[in-house]
Amino acid sequence: MSPNYMRSFSEGCLRPPTVIGQFHTLFFGSVRMFFLGVLGFAVYGNEALHFSCDPDKREVNLFCYNQFRPITPQVFWALQLVIVLVPGAFFHLYAACKSIKQEDILQKSFYTGFYIFSVFLRIILEVVAFWLQIQLFGFKVNAIYMCNVGALEKKFNIIRCMVPEHLEKTIFLIAMYTFTVITVILCVAEIFEISCRRLGFLKSQ
């Protein structure tokens, strides 16, 4: 790989062309991933082991846990982070291949439009993930989950299951909603900043 290609990649790709974009990268890359990777593991790491039902049988616990968690929150949020990164990564790859300089992104209409389009895609993906999170997890984790075991047990239809650390999970759930809202706001603010720079209300960096 040539030195010129590496230089163009480091100058034009790794650093977003706006102040808000750079803050978004720091917030998204550092705070959000750290929160999910470290605290998410502490809250959800042993959930399946501590999830218990009445009667407390291994096969019943496993059946009800799979019903309670069609997808684990950690996996969902990890997928969300990866998918939301795709539009920006695609733009950065395009900028590297075309040797686009950072200042060109805000000066040339095609590059500006392409970059704004990638930001719009991030917003759409975040909103879709927000909606899916509501459908899958709601806004609160209850201490008791009523499990339908009619397909597993002939003696019972509905049994009670205990959800471990339900309060911690509720707090973590609200925090992840908050992160999504913040990143959407930052994306909208970045588009506004780009528009102001293009119109001359803000000086270029």
Side-chain angles (χ1 to χ4, degrees):
M1 192 173 291
S2 66
N4 291 334
Y5 180 87
M6 293 299 296
R7 190 179 302 113
S8 66
F9 185 86
S10 61
E11 293 178 355
C13 300
L14 297 182
R15 194 162 62 109
T18 62
V19 174
I20 295 176
Q22 293 169 23
F23 179 78
H24 172 266
T25 300
L26 176 64
F27 176 81
F28 191 97
S30 302
V31 179
R32 198 172 178 182
M33 290 186 178
F34 174 84
F35 192 86
L36 177 58
V38 177
L39 297 182
F41 179 79
V43 174
Y44 290 96
N46 296 320
E47 183 182 45
L49 295 177
H50 297 152
F51 187 90
S52 61
C53 302
D54 184 20
D56 189 8
K57 298 180 181 179
R58 184 177 180 278
E59 61 273 15
V60 173
N61 292 343
L62 182 59
F63 180 86
C64 288
Y65 181 75
N66 289 334
Q67 187 180 121
F68 175 66
R69 295 287 192 211
I71 179 173
T72 59
Q74 282 180 293
V75 172
F76 175 84
W77 289 320
L79 288 174
Q80 177 186 356
L81 295 183
V82 171
I83 292 173
V84 170
L85 285 173
V86 169
F90 184 78
F91 176 84
H92 292 162
L93 180 62
Y94 174 82
C97 293
K98 296 294 183 179
S99 299
I100 300 172
K101 296 181 180 179
Q102 185 183 18
E103 56 269 19
D104 292 339
I105 298 175
L106 297 181
Q107 292 175 358
K108 297 184 178 180
S109 299
F110 177 77
Y111 298 150
T112 303
F114 193 1
Y115 184 79
I116 290 177
F117 177 71
S118 71
V119 177
F120 265 120
L121 281 181
R122 290 207 307 263
I123 294 174
I124 293 172
L125 291 172
E126 288 281 15
V127 171
V128 171
F130 189 90
W131 179 81
L132 286 175
Q133 184 175 334
I134 293 175
Q135 301 303 309
L136 290 170
F137 311 125
F139 291 95
K140 181 182 179 181
V141 179
N142 296 316
I144 303 296
Y145 174 72
M146 305 306 294
C147 176
N148 186 351
V149 292
L152 183 66
E153 289 278 342
K154 296 182 179 180
K155 297 180 181 179
F156 308 98
N157 286 323
I158 304 296
I159 63 173
R160 291 160 51 94
C161 298
M162 300 294 294
V163 181
E165 292 91 26
H166 63 96
L167 181 59
E168 292 181 10
K169 291 178 174 63
T170 298
I171 295 172
F172 195 90
L173 199 60
I174 298 301
M176 295 307 294
Y177 281 120
T178 304
F179 284 143
T180 301
V181 171
I182 290 174
T183 52
V184 169
I185 292 173
L186 288 175
C187 288
V188 173
E190 185 176 10
I191 294 175
F192 180 76
E193 181 186 349
I194 293 172
S195 300
C196 290
R197 291 188 185 280
R198 290 284 296 178
L199 295 173
F201 297 121
L202 294 175
K203 294 182 179 180
S204 299
Q205 300 180 69

